[in-house]
Amino acid sequence: MRLPITGRSRIAASLAAVALTAGCFSSGGTDAEAGSLAEGNSLKGATVTVGSKEFTEQLVLCQVTALALRSAGATVREKCGLQGSNTTRAALTSGSVDMYWEYTGTAWINYLKETEPIGDPAAQYKAVAEQDLAKNKVKWLAAAPANNTYAIAVKTTTMRQLGIENLSDYAALAKSDPAKASTCVASEFAGRSDGWPGLQKSYGFTLPKSAVATLAEGAIYDAIGKGKPCAFGEVATTDGRIKALGLTPVPDDKRFFPVYNPALTVRESVYREHPAIGRIADPIAAALTDTVLQELNGEVDIEGKEPAEVAETWLKSKGFIGK
């Protein structure tokens, strides 16, 4: 999800050699029986490496992909949990991994160096897919409808009490009663143009420092749920804790936050050799809504399940792999 911080971008090249060996590497993994994804899509004889970034959603998607490909007969090596967007992308373009799930907004701004996001998800995906293939020989498979973007969230009951319906209302509250609009942000969000500074500029408000708390990203969800030390806070829209803690992302009526639809990205040479990968991945992408990802992420973050277990159970429930 989302872009790495600027500082991380600057040092990514020097860290790439180390980071590409980080993460959880396995040539084994859970076997998977054939299901609907394997019908007419044999990958027998294919050996591929699936990678991912380090956060929960990526770890689940890594396991989903590995199991799906194994169900069609592929030998799959896993390199789940690489540290950061830039190093995971470098693993793909260098050939250390053959595929991983990326987000449209991340690729558009960070890898393709475009400064203005495209508000329409379909148009954003089309632009990313075309440019990345032409410039970098990276094939984008179908994008999921889920949008793992930033949002400002609040306890649902608090939102009703304050009469907040969108971020314009939140901005108005920040101007009239800053204490009631107290907001928690993570340090990365606090310094990003597509984060806190840009949000304030777009909606025309400036929350005083006394009403802003900087916390670790994971701690923000509990803070909002308790209303201490803030009523509002930065969240990722597909995080399972949103539903579990009774939070509501405040609608972004000015469409400030970029679109971050996930899609499986594959090196073009690998895709050309094994086009069945696309036919296997596309139904998975179509099933990944915000609600589904929230539930899958929540099973890991809240219920304490392993990503591989969550991935296997979900794939079986959809009939994508055999039971």
Side-chain angles (χ1 to χ4, degrees):
M1 174 194 75
R2 308 188 302 267
L3 310 180
I5 57 175
T6 303
R8 185 182 297 159
S9 302
R10 288 197 298 265
I11 65 173
S14 62
L15 290 179
V18 174
L20 292 183
T21 62
C24 177
F25 178 79
S26 171
S27 59
T30 305
D31 290 330
E33 297 294 329
S36 64
L37 297 177
E39 294 176 3
N41 296 316
S42 176
L43 287 174
K44 290 182 179 179
T47 298
V48 296
T49 302
V50 178
S52 81
K53 306 177 194 184
E54 74 275 27
F55 56 89
T56 298
E57 182 168 299
Q58 285 273 305
L59 297 175
V60 172
L61 290 176
C62 189
Q63 294 297 329
V64 164
T65 307
L67 286 165
L69 297 181
R70 286 193 186 109
S71 77
T75 297
V76 182
R77 294 175 294 187
E78 300 166 13
K79 203 161 189 179
C80 309
L82 295 168
Q83 299 296 308
S85 293
N86 283 338
T87 52
T88 309
R89 168 72 171 200
L92 178 70
T93 56
S94 71
S96 179
V97 303
D98 295 315
M99 66 194 76
Y100 79 98
W101 289 77
E102 189 50 274
Y103 302 86
T104 51
T106 302
W108 184 246
I109 298 172
N110 199 47
Y111 311 142
L112 299 173
K113 307 302 181 183
E114 298 287 348
T115 57
E116 294 295 328
I118 299 173
D120 177 69
Q124 179 70 92
Y125 169 80
K126 184 174 185 292
V128 167
E130 290 178 351
Q131 283 200 34
D132 216 6
L133 183 61
K135 294 179 179 179
N136 305 307
K137 297 184 177 180
V138 173
K139 173 73 174 178
W140 283 69
L141 304 185
N147 180 19
N148 187 2
T149 190
Y150 281 124
I152 297 298
V154 62
K155 190 81 172 177
T156 304
T157 52
T158 302
M159 186 174 178
R160 294 195 191 104
Q161 291 169 359
L162 293 173
I164 300 293
E165 295 185 359
N166 51 43
L167 285 180
S168 290
D169 291 340
Y170 162 76
L173 180 66
K175 293 176 184 177
S176 64
D177 195 340
K180 288 185 178 179
S182 59
T183 302
C184 288
V185 297
S187 57
E188 180 177 335
F189 183 80
R192 290 171 49 142
S193 59
D194 62 342
W196 188 236
L199 179 69
Q200 291 187 100
K201 182 178 179 180
S202 178
Y203 281 91
F205 73 97
T206 300
L207 200 62
K209 291 183 179 180
S210 60
V212 179
T214 302
L215 303 179
E217 187 170 335
I220 293 175
Y221 296 84
D222 286 333
I224 305 170
K226 295 175 182 176
K228 295 180 181 180
C230 50
F232 296 82
E234 159 216 344
V235 298
T237 51
T238 58
D239 196 291
R241 289 168 289 189
I242 292 175
K243 180 179 179 180
L245 294 173
L247 311 182
T248 296
V250 182
D252 180 12
D253 52 306
K254 292 189 176 182
R255 294 189 176 183
F256 164 73
F257 292 116
V259 177
Y260 291 93
N261 297 126
L264 187 62
T265 59
V266 187
R267 286 189 294 113
E268 184 185 21
S269 59
V270 175
Y271 178 78
R272 285 183 178 273
E273 187 175 359
H274 306 293
I277 292 172
R279 297 191 295 272
I280 291 169
D282 288 357
I284 294 173
L288 294 174
T289 63
D290 283 350
T291 300
V292 167
L293 283 178
Q294 284 179 2
E295 291 174 351
L296 298 181
N297 293 335
E299 288 182 39
V300 176
D301 290 331
I302 298 168
E303 298 178 29
K305 296 179 181 178
E306 291 296 322
E309 177 189 359
V310 172
E312 182 178 14
T313 300
W314 180 72
L315 286 168
K316 287 180 176 179
S317 74
K318 301 291 291 184
F320 285 153
I321 65 174
K323 296 183 179 180

